[in-house]
Amino acid sequence: MVRPRRFEHVLRVADLARQIALANGADGARAYAAGILHDIARDLPDAELLRLAPPECSIDSAHPLALHGRAARTLLERWGYADEVVLEAVEDHTTGPRGGNAVSACVYIADVSEPGRGVNADIRELALHDLTGALERAIVSKVTYLQGKGIQVHPRTLRAYHALPCVQQATPMAEPTSPSSTQDAGREPPAHP
């Protein structure tokens, strides 16, 4: 269901998600499964994405690609796939984990930091010993990047961002930054959908 180049990405995400999961005491088999399945709807036409995952907000309507995680979940459920942990990880890989699902965190981090993207090596390395820290860094980096570019952040991503302990401890007027999200000269921006 995906182009050959996308399939290479899928394999790298699945392998990295499994590595991250195993390094953090999470379920490596489920992380691998979610990594393999996360982009099954990524190359579908916009009309099909909108049919499979009706828009929840204006961002979904304007940018149907943001729906490919929810669309993938819909396809999997229609095919009889019933592992809720994996389904949630597939759905949340585009907008950020809702919390409490380590497999979702592993797949989200792997998707934004797999080596083929050429960015976020620091997040990938951190994830191999600090899943929570890596997830915080990945979400903060994504929100900071999008806001810096003037791109509207998806409400689900903002919920994941505002649920982070580092954000909850910050002052209400603070911008979404952290020492780890400061971009060095020459460093590429984080990947995003």
Short mmCIF file of all heavy atoms in Angstrom, two decimals, residues 53 55-56 67 81 109-110 126 165 169 173 190-191:
data_model
loop_
_atom_site.label_atom_id
_atom_site.label_comp_id
_atom_site.label_asym_id
_atom_site.label_seq_id
_atom_site.Cartn_x
_atom_site.Cartn_y
_atom_site.Cartn_z
N ALA A 53 -11.27 8.86 7.63
CA ALA A 53 -11.09 9.58 8.90
C ALA A 53 -11.69 10.98 8.75
O ALA A 53 -10.98 11.93 8.46
CB ALA A 53 -9.62 9.66 9.25
N PRO A 55 -12.78 14.67 9.11
CA PRO A 55 -12.07 15.74 9.81
C PRO A 55 -12.67 16.05 11.18
O PRO A 55 -13.88 16.08 11.35
CB PRO A 55 -12.22 16.94 8.87
CG PRO A 55 -12.45 16.35 7.53
CD PRO A 55 -13.23 15.09 7.78
N GLU A 56 -11.77 16.28 12.13
CA GLU A 56 -12.15 16.70 13.47
C GLU A 56 -11.97 18.21 13.66
O GLU A 56 -12.48 18.78 14.61
CB GLU A 56 -11.28 16.00 14.52
CG GLU A 56 -11.43 14.53 14.59
CD GLU A 56 -10.49 13.90 15.61
OE1 GLU A 56 -9.46 14.50 15.98
OE2 GLU A 56 -10.79 12.77 16.03
N LEU A 67 -4.46 13.19 8.54
CA LEU A 67 -5.42 12.13 8.91
C LEU A 67 -4.87 10.72 8.70
O LEU A 67 -5.55 9.75 9.05
CB LEU A 67 -6.69 12.28 8.08
CG LEU A 67 -7.48 13.56 8.27
CD1 LEU A 67 -8.54 13.70 7.19
CD2 LEU A 67 -8.11 13.58 9.65
N TYR A 81 -8.18 -6.24 12.79
CA TYR A 81 -7.07 -6.09 13.74
C TYR A 81 -7.63 -5.49 15.03
O TYR A 81 -8.31 -4.48 14.99
CB TYR A 81 -5.99 -5.19 13.14
CG TYR A 81 -4.66 -5.32 13.85
CD1 TYR A 81 -3.74 -6.27 13.46
CD2 TYR A 81 -4.34 -4.49 14.92
CE1 TYR A 81 -2.51 -6.40 14.10
CE2 TYR A 81 -3.12 -4.61 15.57
CZ TYR A 81 -2.22 -5.56 15.16
OH TYR A 81 -1.02 -5.69 15.81
N ILE A 109 8.39 8.51 18.49
CA ILE A 109 9.80 8.89 18.51
C ILE A 109 10.54 8.28 17.31
O ILE A 109 11.32 8.96 16.64
CB ILE A 109 10.46 8.47 19.84
CG1 ILE A 109 9.88 9.28 21.00
CG2 ILE A 109 11.98 8.62 19.76
CD1 ILE A 109 10.20 8.71 22.36
N ALA A 110 10.30 7.01 17.05
CA ALA A 110 10.97 6.34 15.93
C ALA A 110 10.61 7.01 14.60
O ALA A 110 11.47 7.18 13.73
CB ALA A 110 10.61 4.86 15.90
N LEU A 126 18.64 9.59 22.89
CA LEU A 126 18.04 9.75 24.21
C LEU A 126 16.98 8.67 24.45
O LEU A 126 16.87 8.13 25.55
CB LEU A 126 17.42 11.14 24.35
CG LEU A 126 16.77 11.47 25.70
CD1 LEU A 126 17.80 11.40 26.83
CD2 LEU A 126 16.13 12.86 25.63
N PRO A 165 4.97 17.18 31.41
CA PRO A 165 5.35 17.78 32.70
C PRO A 165 6.20 19.03 32.54
O PRO A 165 6.01 20.00 33.28
CB PRO A 165 6.15 16.67 33.40
CG PRO A 165 5.63 15.40 32.79
CD PRO A 165 5.30 15.76 31.36
N GLN A 169 4.91 22.69 34.10
CA GLN A 169 5.70 23.40 35.10
C GLN A 169 6.09 24.79 34.64
O GLN A 169 6.48 25.62 35.45
CB GLN A 169 6.96 22.59 35.45
CG GLN A 169 6.64 21.29 36.13
CD GLN A 169 7.87 20.39 36.23
OE1 GLN A 169 8.95 20.73 35.80
NE2 GLN A 169 7.66 19.21 36.80
N MET A 173 2.58 31.88 30.16
CA MET A 173 2.89 32.75 29.03
C MET A 173 4.13 32.30 28.28
O MET A 173 4.50 32.88 27.28
CB MET A 173 3.08 34.20 29.51
CG MET A 173 1.83 34.77 30.20
SD MET A 173 0.34 34.69 29.18
CE MET A 173 0.70 36.00 28.04
N PRO A 190 13.06 19.45 12.84
CA PRO A 190 12.50 18.12 13.05
C PRO A 190 11.52 17.75 11.95
O PRO A 190 10.92 18.63 11.33
CB PRO A 190 11.78 18.24 14.40
CG PRO A 190 11.47 19.70 14.51
CD PRO A 190 12.60 20.43 13.81
N ALA A 191 11.39 16.47 11.71
CA ALA A 191 10.43 16.00 10.72
C ALA A 191 9.03 16.16 11.29
O ALA A 191 8.81 16.07 12.49
CB ALA A 191 10.70 14.53 10.42
#
